[in-house]
């Protein structure tokens, strides 16, 4: 759907859920999402302190066509993190198994049809790991027979488990903090490379063994490596708040890399909560306070910026998610608005906009939705702290 009908796109179903930042994932006719049912404590955010809550963390599965709940896995999970509304990670689905990592480091492998727990890990209990200040946020990635995510101990920033048994296969890297960035995968220099951005540097490692290949320093403020490293051909981009960003060039013949360009205050892009998109060597993404920017990926030069998709003004941590479709772009912003738009070298042009969901998560002096949508079956699936909804994008 390029343009929404008058009155907005049709909402096909709504399903009640509880708090969380975890985006939905869709696979095999089901929608998976995580949430947190609080029993005690104040979830109002404090940027400078961990908050202690009592409650249950949950993994839920719904029928993608009807919204009917299929199963739920829940477990007691006291929280001690900042912004403690709920879990952060999107559930990763691989065949008949789903992998769900909670905010405090509970990793579960769950059968997608029955909801039966196949194996589980408790990072604090099993490894002595402390949850990052803002909670575990690196979605598990499945690579062949492994499931890989951040662990964040002095004995290893990133960890790989056998996806069938949960047996640890390797641990790798050292850093002052693990950060929050999901890992990514590419092939360069004749080998597969797992790209990891922790609190100190961008890294390329062997996904089968964890052996480090290369490292390029890139240290964000407050250990806030958040966006997934963006891979485009032989370039890897990462960036964070305060304009910290860099692009690394992967060598074509050996598993090595070197700094290609480093961001400056008046160029590039410093994302906070969402990963940019690249089309024709142009990188589009939202800066730390919601400014949508276009950057030449080859040079780092900023071509234009606008706040139109986030209500026409910059504000603290203003967030929106950008998705490229086969027609144009879709944006889901923190106000619960879906936007279709055209983006190119010349600028931003809105096609249509519709409010589909109310923001519910407190932040600063407003309420927000900081959860990435999922697209499947000509629909978009989005959530807040009260419900998961399915919105039709089919042309009428």
């Amino acid at each position: 759907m390029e343009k929404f009908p008058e009155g907005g796109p049709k909402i096909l179903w709504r399903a009640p859920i509880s708090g969380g930042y975890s985006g939905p994932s869709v696979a095999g006719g089901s929608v998976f999402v995580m949430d947190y049912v609080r029993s005690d404590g104040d979830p109002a955010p404090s940027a400078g302190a961990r908050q202690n809550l009592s409650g249950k963390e949950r993994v839920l599965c719904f029928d993608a066509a009807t919204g009917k709940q299929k199963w739920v896995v829940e477990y007691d999970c006291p929280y001690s993190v900042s912004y403690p509304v709920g879990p952060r990670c999107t559930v990763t689905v691989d065949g008949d198994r789903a992998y769900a990592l909670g905010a405090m480091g509970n990793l579960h492998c769950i059968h997608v049809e029955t909801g039966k727990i196949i194996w589980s890990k408790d990072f604090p209990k099993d490894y002595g790991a402390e949850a990052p200040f803002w909670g575990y946020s690196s979605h598990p990635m499945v690579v062949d027979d492994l499931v890989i995510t951040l662990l964040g101990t002095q004995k290893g920033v990133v960890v790989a488990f056998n996806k069938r048994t949960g047996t640890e296969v390797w641990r790798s890297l050292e850093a002052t903090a693990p950060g929050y960035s999901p890992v990514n995968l590419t092939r360069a220099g004749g080998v597969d490379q797992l790209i990891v951005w922790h609190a100190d540097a961008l890294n390329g490692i062997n996904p089968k063994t964890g052996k480090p290949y290369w490292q390029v320093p890139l240290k964000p403020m407050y250990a806030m490596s958040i966006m997934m490293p963006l891979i485009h051909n032989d370039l890897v981009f990462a960036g964070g708040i305060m304009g910290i960003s860099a692009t690394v060039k992967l060598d074509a013949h050996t598993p090595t890399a070197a700094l290609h360009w480093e961001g400056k205050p008046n160029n590039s892009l410093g994302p906070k909560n969402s990963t940019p998109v690249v089309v024709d060597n142009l990188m589009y993404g939202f800066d730390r306070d919601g400014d949508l920017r276009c950057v030449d990926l080859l040079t780092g030069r900023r071509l234009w910026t606008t706040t139109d998709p986030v209500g026409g003004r910059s504000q603290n941590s203003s967030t929106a998610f950008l998705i490229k479709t086969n027609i144009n772009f879709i944006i889901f912003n923190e106000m619960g608005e879906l936007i279709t738009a055209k983006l190119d070298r010349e600028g931003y042009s809105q096609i249509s906009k519709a409010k589909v969901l109310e923001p519910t998560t407190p932040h600063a002096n407003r309420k927000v939705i900081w959860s990435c949508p999922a697209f499947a079956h000509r629909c978009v699936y989005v959530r807040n702290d009260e419900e998961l909804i399915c919105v039709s994008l089919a042309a009428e």
Side-chain angles (χ1 to χ4, degrees), residues 315-327:
Q315 49 187 341
N316 179 15
S317 303
S318 185
T319 296
F321 299 92
L322 179 67
I323 301 93
K324 178 69 175 73
T325 73
N326 60 348
I327 302 174

Side-chain angles (χ1 to χ4, degrees), residues 135 138 163 213 276 305 307 386 388:
S138 178
K163 70 179 185 181
Y213 286 134
T305 183
T307 57
E386 298 174 356
L388 169 70

